[in-house]
Amino acid sequence: MYRNDPVLPTFSLILALGLFYAAYLDGRLLARLQGHTPMELSVGQIGLMAFGAVLLLYGLMGLVSFWLEGVELRPGRHFPAPSTAPMAVGVILVLLLTALSGFFARLIVYSAQTGHNPTWLQGLIFGSISLVVAALFGIYKKFFGRDEAVTEDEKGEFPW
């Protein structure tokens, strides 16, 4: 397959959601068999969720690649067309990033002063910060970065 197709990443996302749902159903089955919800995950649930996470990551990478590069790379230089909408989205994302960073810093100061350390909230905010930064990089690559696709002729120097 020489084209950048969204079919395989979409299928892997659907399969990942199916595996997460199967892990959920496995937990429900264990709860029904034991009469109460177990406190720990079973080995089957961990395996299903790990494989689902790999497929989820692969699918997201494929869809982002399809969004950034298009269906087929064309040799030559590609210059972005100026537009106002990506700039406005970028400004909104930068404001969101500033707010999240400030809240994260305040949360660290709060946990240092009181001794109460909500790690789940710190992880959630840091993950959100990482996703906003990734979205900013994607917007920059798609709408502001100059691309150059270089090809090699059949009589190249490399032995592949």
Side-chain angles (χ1 to χ4, degrees), residues 74-76 148-152:
R74 306 224 184 268
E148 183 174 1
V150 181
T151 59
E152 187 177 337

Side-chain angles (χ1 to χ4, degrees), residues 21-42:
Y21 187 65
Y24 168 73
L25 289 180
D26 187 37
R28 296 280 307 247
L29 176 68
L30 287 174
R32 193 180 76 216
L33 290 176
Q34 292 182 359
H36 62 85
T37 305
M39 295 300 291
E40 66 274 347
L41 295 172
S42 70

